């Protein structure tokens, strides 16, 4: 009887945990459901890769080649599945909903597996809306749930040799590679680090390291070719470091990096106080309450943030993108602090709900204020036309970063248009150009639209512009351009004579 009662109490605890995770997920996706074009910068280019993949399958003699064995392709499998079951207009928001689900599920499973608190899992879920999420580094984002599985496998206590464990490590290493090459590198270093920390016997340690060999061989065959291809394409492949103080001062943007205003700073300060209280209140018995594996993982990712360059191989936020990962592990490693009058869970849920609601308001304002005219411009584009995208407005009053940077790529997603810039030029995704693309117009206009020359327009059929009223007035006066709309931030221009 006592055993049944204990079991029912345990089941009730799991049921509450699942309901909490589901409720948190519902709150977290509200911003996405309110925005037809979510502020995730590279999202349209990722969806366009799937469009190019399908077009290349139908017409293999075109300018593109499918790269099935390169890293970073796991996200495209997920997008392809969504593409096959949803109208194309819903694929972008659905991808982000899936990413949010995978992250929250991974965080709660991690908490359950290591016996950590629900409160910490709730607060750790806030880091889904991080810098990589807003910049649309979706292949990198898919790596965190995979690493959680890698973490679970690598932190298993060494006992009798298990071929299931070794097979799991081999398979998960390929999933890390498939999500992002950086995750494979991080996973390899972590395997060495945790082996040393746990003082695993030499033979077992070497067997675990050997599980990286199959995927490591594939990665070593890929990396030199990618490096040479990027350098030949004119991308900046050198490492760049900013001063350490500048990097430390941008920690809030690295952790969240999304909505403007004081909210993210306030949440960051709250989490800092939460961790400080946890350490102080439990200082006499902290060693027995902290999860050492999670603390090690948090310290490991934090060291990457501090040591790694800001940019390398044309990959921006090379080091800072790991900061929210470090904070998740550090937060989960600590015991729950004691809060007077209110329960810690109530406080955590209140903070999470407020954060997601304020994010939803910011995203709704972004859609209303910053995207006027975009849908109309895309609808007027003829299929398969050549489109120049120009982001003259650059920054949003609601969202940090460059949320407009790649929005013109929806022309390729919806209408199969050819763009002035495509991720196919990166040579590290699902689809790439067979040969180096010959560009006759000013390069880099997706980043620096102000450098556009009137002679550039002649290489395109249409120009999709995000600009202020004064900039649209100037463009409308050019004899090369015929405006197809006279209101909205986003306006479509037909190139005269094309």
């Amino acid at each position: 009887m006592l055993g049944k009662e204990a079991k029912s109490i345990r089941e009730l605890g799991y049921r509450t945990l699942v309901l909490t995770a589901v409720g948190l997920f519902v709150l977290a996706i509200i911003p996405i459901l309110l925005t037809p074009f979510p502020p995730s910068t590279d999202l349209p280019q990722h969806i366009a890769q799937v469009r190019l993949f399908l077009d290349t399958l139908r017409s293999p003699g075109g300018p593109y080649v499918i790269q099935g064995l390169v890293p970073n392709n796991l996200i495209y499998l997920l997008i392809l599945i969504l593409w096959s079951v949803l109208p194309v207009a819903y694929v972008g928001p659905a991808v982000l909903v899936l990413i949010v689900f995978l992250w929250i599920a991974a965080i709660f499973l991690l908490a359950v597996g290591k016996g950590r608190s629900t409160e910490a899992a709730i607060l750790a879920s806030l880091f889904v809306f991080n810098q990589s999420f807003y910049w649309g580094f979706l292949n990198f984002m898919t790596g965190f749930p995979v690493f959680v599985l890698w973490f679970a496998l690598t932190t298993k206590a060494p006992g009798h040799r298990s071929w299931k464990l070794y097979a799991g490590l081999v398979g998960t290493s390929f999933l890390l590679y498939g999500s992002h090459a950086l995750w494979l590198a991080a996973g390899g270093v972590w395997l060495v680090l945790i082996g040393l920390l746990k003082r695993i016997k030499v033979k077992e340690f070497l067997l675990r390291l050997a599980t990286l060999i199959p995927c490591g061989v594939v990665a070593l065959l890929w990396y030199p070719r990618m490096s040479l291809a990027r350098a030949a394409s004119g991308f900046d492949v050198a490492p760049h470091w900013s001063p350490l103080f500048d990097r430390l001062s941008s920690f809030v943007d690295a952790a969240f990096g999304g909505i403007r205003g004081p909210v993210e700073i306030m949440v960051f300060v709250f989490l800092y106080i939460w961790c400080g209280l946890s350490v102080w209140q439990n200082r006499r018995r902290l060693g027995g309450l902290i999860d050492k594996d999670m603390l090690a993982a948090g310290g490991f990712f934090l060291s990457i943030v501090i040591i790694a360059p800001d940019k390398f191989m044309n990959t921006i936020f090379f080091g800072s993108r790991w900061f929210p990962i470090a904070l998740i592990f550090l937060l989960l490693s600590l015991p729950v602090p004691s809060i007077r009058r209110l329960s810690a869970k109530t406080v955590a849920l209140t903070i999470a709900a407020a954060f997601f609601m304020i994010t939803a308001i910011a995203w709704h304002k972004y859609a209303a204020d910053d995207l006027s005219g975009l849908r109309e411009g895309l609808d007027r584009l003829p299929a398969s036309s050549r489109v120049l995208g120009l982001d003259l407005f650059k920054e949003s009053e609601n969202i940090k970063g460059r949320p407009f940077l790649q929005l013109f790529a929806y022309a390729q997603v919806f209408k199969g248009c050819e763009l002035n810039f495509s991720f196919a030029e990166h040579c590290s995704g699902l689809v790439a150009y067979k040969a180096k693309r010959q560009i006759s117009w000013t390069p880099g206009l997706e980043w620096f639209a102000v450098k556009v020359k009137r002679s550039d327009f002649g290489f395109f059929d249409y120009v999709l512009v995000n600009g202020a009223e004064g900039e649209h007035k100037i463009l409308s006066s050019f004899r090369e351009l015929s405006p197809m709309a006279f209101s909205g931030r986003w306006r479509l221009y037909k190139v005269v004579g094309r």
Side-chain angles (χ1 to χ4, degrees), residues 190-350:
W190 168 254
L191 185 61
V192 174
L193 177 63
I194 196 64
L196 295 174
L197 289 175
K198 285 185 171 294
R199 299 180 180 179
I200 296 175
K201 292 181 180 179
V202 174
K203 197 167 185 179
E204 172 68 12
F205 185 54
L206 293 176
L207 282 170
R208 293 191 181 194
L209 288 181
T211 62
L212 285 171
I213 292 175
C215 190
V217 170
V218 176
L220 288 174
L221 291 174
W222 159 79
Y223 182 78
R225 286 184 295 162
M226 185 278 296
S227 179
L228 289 172
R230 284 203 174 181
S233 298
F235 291 114
D236 182 5
V237 297
H240 299 275
W241 282 268
S242 62
L244 181 60
F245 180 79
D246 292 344
R247 302 168 79 181
L248 295 176
S249 64
S250 64
F251 266 12
V252 176
D253 282 346
F256 297 111
I259 57 175
R260 294 194 182 277
V263 173
E264 292 182 346
I265 296 174
M266 293 169 63
V267 172
F268 189 83
V269 170
F270 168 81
L271 293 174
Y272 185 82
I273 294 172
W274 176 283
C275 294
L277 279 174
S278 172
V279 172
W280 175 254
Q281 292 175 351
N282 299 283
R283 60 191 181 280
R284 300 187 191 282
R285 53 199 180 104
L286 191 61
L289 295 175
I290 207 165
D291 187 286
K292 295 180 177 58
D293 291 342
M294 286 191 169
L295 183 64
F300 165 63
F301 287 116
L302 190 58
S303 69
I304 297 177
V305 176
I306 296 171
I307 296 170
D310 299 300
K311 181 180 178 183
F312 180 52
M313 294 302 299
N314 199 48
T315 300
I316 60 174
F317 305 121
F318 192 91
S320 62
R321 65 178 62 197
W322 301 98
F323 190 49
I325 314 295
L327 293 178
I328 288 171
F329 278 100
L330 291 173
L331 195 58
L332 288 173
S333 73
L334 296 172
V336 178
S338 175
I339 301 174
R340 292 181 180 178
R341 297 182 183 177
L342 292 173
S343 71
K345 184 180 289 187
T346 300
V347 172
L349 283 171
T350 302

Side-chain angles (χ1 to χ4, degrees), residues 405-451:
L405 188 69
Q406 305 289 357
L407 281 177
F408 69 95
Y410 279 115
Q412 191 166 70
V413 173
F414 295 146
K415 299 295 183 73
C417 298
E418 185 179 350
L419 309 173
N420 54 296
F421 172 73
S422 165
F423 271 16
E425 296 176 41
H426 279 170
C427 307
S428 60
L430 181 61
V431 177
Y433 284 101
K434 290 178 180 176
K436 182 184 176 183
R437 190 185 190 193
Q438 299 301 314
I439 294 177
S440 302
W441 55 89
T442 304
L445 291 177
E446 70 280 2
W447 278 95
F448 308 105
V450 292
K451 293 185 178 181

Side-chain angles (χ1 to χ4, degrees), residues 119-160:
E119 294 85 349
I122 292 168
L123 294 175
S125 297
L126 301 183
F127 293 114
V128 176
F129 284 81
N130 59 51
Q131 187 179 66
S132 294
F133 186 82
Y134 277 99
W135 276 88
F137 304 156
L138 302 188
N139 30 31
F140 182 81
M141 289 290 290
T142 59
F144 171 70
V146 178
F147 184 83
V148 168
L149 175 58
W150 182 259
F151 177 84
L153 292 171
T154 56
T155 53
K156 278 191 174 181
H160 297 294

Side-chain angles (χ1 to χ4, degrees), residues 446-462:
E446 70 280 2
W447 278 95
F448 308 105
V450 292
K451 293 185 178 181
V452 68
K453 301 173 184 176
R454 292 174 67 168
S455 58
D456 294 328
F457 300 139
F459 297 102
F460 301 91
D461 304 313
Y462 293 87

Side-chain angles (χ1 to χ4, degrees), residues 75-88:
I75 185 63
Y76 301 123
L77 175 60
L78 302 178
I79 295 174
L80 187 60
I81 293 170
L82 294 172
W83 183 288
S84 65
V85 298
L86 294 174
V88 65

